[in-house]
């Protein structure tokens, strides 16, 4: 049913930077996909400084069909487009940026625009993650094709520890394949659905609001938007691997309870996102308010040894929101700030936490 178009039905987003040790495994996971439709992986390398570019050029030379190669160059990038030698449904678009865009805050999303604009579905696999099921794309696209009221699908993954050099756990939404509750997508954050597991309808991006596009936290706003515009289906099958303990990844470089001006900007961008969703989708207003409060309280600098000055700066940055907390929300804040961990205080903290958050969240 997908063979009628030569244009990619699925476009895969692959952002990568200094993923030299991992990028080949990522590309191989894309190539292994067995589909009855064409798909394209847009690999955007942000001027890597390790050996990643050498690996990408070797892949272009050895893995792609030379008769299909198209190459062009601008002052910003070198672009190479070609079909894979053995998988005729698999096309690659390599965008090799000539200078690091992240460091100068230059948007890289326009490099995807030409390809995503005509695709029906979008998938994602960052350069340090990889897929292990050759039918991953086929299963997810087939489900979306046969269920027009669903906007996104995702699946169970394994977590590979770079420190331990082995699979250390699995991440999953539920213990069986099923529709995901919208409440869970809102409350359980973007890490509830790993980026490398998603396939969603491109139409979700139509009229994409500024409060989503300017949010500084991964694909969380995208996942919420999918939930606002339709349903999400979870496959309880391991189809991909997500790397943890990897300092070059975004999540591996975060310390969420240390004060910094950038951390404040990240949190503020999420607050703006929750408020935007609450306004546009009032049915879920309570849930977005709860997440806004949780976002502020979750990241209060309160580790042992945290400078008092850091807490003062944090409270000053969010003074309006903190002053407007309800009684139970203020109790929750005090609980989260507790750093004295005797058995009695831990038990007391657990009881208060259980009842204060139950009152707030449900």
């Amino acid at each position: 049913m997908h063979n009628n178009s030569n244009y990619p039905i699925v476009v895969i987003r692959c952002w990568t930077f200094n993923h030299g040790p991992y990028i080949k495994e990522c590309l191989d996971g894309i190539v292994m996909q067995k589909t009855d439709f064409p798909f394209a992986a847009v690999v955007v390398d942000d001027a890597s400084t390790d050996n990643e570019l050498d690996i990408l050029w070797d892949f272009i030379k050895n893995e792609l069909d030379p008769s299909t190669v198209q190459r062009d160059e601008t002052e910003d990038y070198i672009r190479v487009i070609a079909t894979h030698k053995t998988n005729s449904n698999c096309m690659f678009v390599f965008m090799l940026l000539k200078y690091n865009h992240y460091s100068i805050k230059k948007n890289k999303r326009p490099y995807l625009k030409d390809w995503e604009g005509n695709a029906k579905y979008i998938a994602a696999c960052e350069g340090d993650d990889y897929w292990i099921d050759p039918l991953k794309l086929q299963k997810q696209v087939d489900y979306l094709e046969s269920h027009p009221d669903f906007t996104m699908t995702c699946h169970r993954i394994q977590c590979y520890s770079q420190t331990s050099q082995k699979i250390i756990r699995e991440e999953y939404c539920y213990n069986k394949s099923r529709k995901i509750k919208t409440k869970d997508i809102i409350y359980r954050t973007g890490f509830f659905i790993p980026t490398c597991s998603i396939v969603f309808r491109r139409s979700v991006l139509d009229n994409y609001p500024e409060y989503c596009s300017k949010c500084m936290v991964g694909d969380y706003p995208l996942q919420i938007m999918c939930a606002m515009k339709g349903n999400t289906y979870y496959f309880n099958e391991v189809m991909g691997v997500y790397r943890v303990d990897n300092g070059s990844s975004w999540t591996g470089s975060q310390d969420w309870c240390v004060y910094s001006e950038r951390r404040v900007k990240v949190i503020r961008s999420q607050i703006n996102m929750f408020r935007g969703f609450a306004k546009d989708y009032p049915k879920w207003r309570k849930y977005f308010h709860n997440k806004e409060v949780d976002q502020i309280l979750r990241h209060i600098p309160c580790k042992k040894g945290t400078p008092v000055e850091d807490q003062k700066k944090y409270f000053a940055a969010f003074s309006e929101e903190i002053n407007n907390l309800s009684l139970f929300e203020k109790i929750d804040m005090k609980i989260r700030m507790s750093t004295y961990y005797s058995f009695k205080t831990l038990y007391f903290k657990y009881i208060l936490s259980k009842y204060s958050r139950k009152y707030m969240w449900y």
Side-chain angles (χ1 to χ4, degrees):
M1 62 178 170
H2 307 295
N3 286 330
N4 295 329
S5 173
N6 291 322
Y7 197 88
I9 296 293
V10 178
V11 167
I12 303 161
R13 296 176 174 178
C14 183
W15 305 109
T16 181
F17 172 71
N18 282 358
H19 289 150
Y22 327 118
I23 190 64
K24 183 60 164 59
E25 204 162 16
C26 172
L27 300 179
D28 288 344
I30 293 170
V31 170
M32 73 157 58
Q33 295 303 305
K34 298 178 181 178
T35 65
D36 62 12
F37 54 83
F39 61 93
V42 183
V43 182
V44 183
D45 176 88
D46 199 9
S48 291
T49 57
D50 64 355
N51 67 332
E52 179 172 323
L53 283 172
D54 293 333
I55 294 170
L56 294 181
W57 281 116
D58 283 345
F59 185 90
I60 291 168
K61 178 182 178 181
N62 298 318
E63 301 270 355
L64 302 185
D65 181 350
S67 67
T68 65
V69 171
Q70 304 172 50
R71 172 175 170 158
D72 62 300
E73 184 171 351
T74 71
E75 61 183 11
D76 298 315
Y77 59 78
I78 297 173
R79 177 171 57 191
V80 179
I81 305 170
T83 302
H84 192 264
K85 279 182 178 179
T86 59
N87 186 345
S88 59
N89 277 331
C90 177
M91 175 189 293
F92 279 95
V93 181
F94 288 98
M95 303 293 299
L96 309 178
L97 308 187
K98 292 184 175 180
Y99 54 91
N100 187 266
H101 286 41
Y102 177 82
S103 62
I104 61 173
K105 297 182 174 59
K106 183 171 181 178
N107 190 4
K108 294 176 286 185
R109 292 200 178 277
Y111 298 124
L112 296 173
K113 187 176 180 181
D114 290 343
W115 294 94
E116 290 186 349
N118 293 313
K120 191 171 184 180
Y121 303 106
I122 298 175
C125 189
E126 296 184 353
D128 54 345
D129 302 327
Y130 59 100
W131 297 337
I132 56 176
D133 185 341
L135 297 178
K136 169 198 154 65
L137 287 182
Q138 188 71 56
K139 292 175 185 176
Q140 293 182 268
V141 167
D142 282 348
Y143 191 90
L144 291 170
E145 287 281 289
S146 59
H147 295 80
D149 55 327
F150 280 72
T151 51
M152 180 171 66
T153 61
C154 60
H155 56 74
R156 193 180 187 110
I157 63 157
Q158 294 176 331
C159 291
Y160 183 88
S161 167
Q162 286 302 123
T163 302
S164 303
Q165 295 288 294
K166 63 180 181 181
I167 301 294
I168 57 172
R169 66 177 185 272
E170 292 185 359
E171 292 288 346
Y172 52 94
C173 299
Y174 307 111
N175 286 318
K176 63 180 181 179
S177 297
R178 52 163 288 181
K179 179 178 127 179
I180 296 181
K181 296 177 181 178
T182 297
K183 180 178 72 174
D184 286 343
I185 293 177
I186 297 171
Y187 275 170
R188 297 178 68 176
T189 80
F191 300 115
F192 175 57
I193 300 176
T195 299
C196 67
S197 77
I198 66 173
V199 174
F200 66 95
R201 295 186 189 275
R202 186 214 53 80
S203 58
V204 169
L205 300 178
D206 292 343
N207 303 312
Y208 204 56
E210 191 174 81
Y211 59 77
C212 285
S213 59
K214 288 192 173 181
C215 184
M216 298 170 69
V217 177
D219 289 320
Y220 187 25
L222 169 65
Q223 294 172 16
I224 296 176
M225 186 58 76
C226 285
M228 295 298 101
K229 293 188 174 183
N231 298 312
T232 297
Y233 189 78
Y234 165 70
F235 289 89
N236 193 37
E237 304 173 42
V238 175
M239 301 192 221
V241 178
Y242 175 76
R243 293 185 195 272
V244 297
D245 305 331
N246 172 18
S248 66
S249 72
W250 184 83
T251 53
S253 63
Q254 303 303 304
D255 189 342
W256 291 95
C257 291
V258 174
Y259 176 84
S260 71
E261 291 185 7
R262 173 171 171 75
R263 176 69 60 238
V264 169
K265 289 180 180 179
V266 171
I267 297 169
R268 178 63 63 189
S269 76
Q270 291 186 79
I271 290 173
N272 292 338
M273 174 190 70
F274 294 133
R275 290 178 179 176
F277 274 119
K279 180 181 178 181
D280 290 347
Y281 301 92
K283 174 183 176 180
W284 303 98
R285 182 182 291 117
K286 173 185 174 182
Y287 298 89
F288 291 121
H289 169 75
N290 290 342
K291 277 303 297 182
E292 177 185 335
V293 171
D294 179 64
Q295 188 64 28
I296 295 169
L297 302 188
R298 180 186 298 272
H299 300 130
I300 293 175
C302 57
K303 291 182 178 179
K304 285 187 176 181
T306 298
V308 175
E309 193 62 30
D310 279 2
Q311 283 195 355
K312 289 182 178 179
K313 290 178 181 177
Y314 187 89
F315 282 113
F318 300 104
S319 58
E320 180 181 349
E321 290 83 1
I322 291 172
N323 288 336
N324 289 328
L325 293 177
S326 69
L327 173 61
F328 276 88
E329 289 166 348
K330 289 178 179 178
I331 291 173
D332 191 16
M333 179 177 71
K334 294 296 184 182
I335 293 169
R336 297 186 195 225
M337 290 179 65
S338 171
T339 57
Y340 180 63
Y341 293 115
S342 68
F343 175 79
K344 289 183 179 179
T345 55
L346 278 174
Y347 181 72
F348 182 65
K349 184 174 181 177
Y350 166 76
I351 296 298
L352 277 181
S353 173
K354 179 179 178 181
Y355 286 100
S356 66
R357 292 177 198 174
K358 181 177 181 181
Y359 176 84
M360 288 191 323
W361 285 58
Y362 293 99

